[in-house]
Amino acid sequence: MMRARLFTAVIFTVMLAAGCSQQPHQSRDVPDEKEVKTEKTNEKDMSSDKEAEKEIVPLSDEEFFSAEGWLDENSIYYISENASQSTIYQYNLFTGEKTPFFESKASIVQVKINREAGLLAVHASPSSYEASITILDQTGNIRTERSFPSSELNFSWSPSGEKLFITAFDENWSFETFLLSMSDYSLEKNPVELPFIQWLTDDEITYLKWNEAEPQLTAPLAAYSLQTKEERILDEHIISHAHFGEYTFSIKVENEEKSTGTYLFFKNGELLYSFDVPLTPLYSEWLIPEYDTAEGVFYTFIPGDTEGKFDLTAVDPEKASMEVIIRNVDNSPISLSPDGEYALYGSYREKIIHLKDAEIKSIVK
């Protein structure tokens, strides 16, 4: 089962790169010197932050598979797996307290948390051709369960946690989509015949409108109302986009031949901040930078000075500023704590970054 899940993770990453969006590489436009901390200021801040930093207690779990996100500012959810079952634990990173939260005889593939609603969506794989979604509340009680004939699932919460958009793929990568409502647990089939979407509101989604008839490196960005069934085009030549709170982020290709693009940040449809970046070619597409947000700040990876490495960068759209947190690291998944103090980091989010002092530690012994 472990080997199957590792394979699934690789395939799913490739699918996201091909279907959803794509992104950056090499040098980049850097903000004014005043926007980046001076070395002297960094030393001062790191010294004071280290005094205030809480000590991480690494996990002692030989069956650790992956950290899945944050319960609160101090605790995370993680998956542990052995031959007989998968278990989701709640773990306090600073006290070392570990509590079993949910157990499954089937291998748990991933967990997606909606803190707004206090719900978790657990994706398990009973077999190679069956997938299940279990909705849990914060006490671990099962709200509803659904099974799908599928070799892979993609799913995402609406902002309030009222709806879950699910895409079920078969072994040939053909797919069906579903909309699971939390109010009555009804399941609507094929509300949108597109595999990858982003939620703008609980009733409106956005997506890249790829032309399946011919290869493309960019696509129009479209919005679609689930209520009125109307579509509108928001922008052209986009390779990636996301929504976080009141803000929208997108990457627009400015020059395909020179592999340059622009990161754009909007609020209520108005451009707040933008800057240019080189884009990283990836076969017939662009590399997607990992990202997450907390407290209105957008964290992502921008190509660093070393080829194949990236700078973890914090972007504040309201202040129209950016700050490099750590230079020349891998473009790996990150998950921000609710207070924006820490980030889980790594292929299995097995590391943690204290963002104020830029120190990377393992959460597993």
Side-chain angles (χ1 to χ4, degrees), residues 13 16 31 40 46 99 112 136 145 150 173 200 220 282 332 364:
T13 301
L16 282 177
K40 191 171 183 180
M46 286 174 65
T99 306
K112 292 194 177 179
L136 306 173
E145 293 180 279
S150 172
W173 302 116
L200 184 59
L282 186 66
S332 289
V364 185

Side-chain angles (χ1 to χ4, degrees), residues 9-68:
V10 172
I11 291 296
F12 187 56
T13 301
V14 173
M15 287 167 50
L16 282 177
C20 234
S21 11
Q22 302 119 10
Q23 264 129 314
H25 174 69
Q26 275 164 350
S27 59
R28 68 180 183 286
D29 288 356
V30 187
D32 295 338
E33 288 295 323
K34 64 182 180 180
E35 296 182 38
V36 181
K37 287 185 178 179
T38 63
E39 192 172 321
K40 191 171 183 180
T41 303
N42 258 328
E43 290 174 359
K44 179 180 177 182
D45 287 350
M46 286 174 65
S47 174
S48 61
D49 288 335
K50 278 182 180 292
E51 292 176 3
E53 183 185 0
K54 295 174 285 188
E55 193 66 31
I56 297 292
V57 180
L59 264 167
S60 179
D61 188 341
E62 294 181 357
E63 296 168 347
F64 171 89
F65 180 75
S66 65
E68 293 297 302

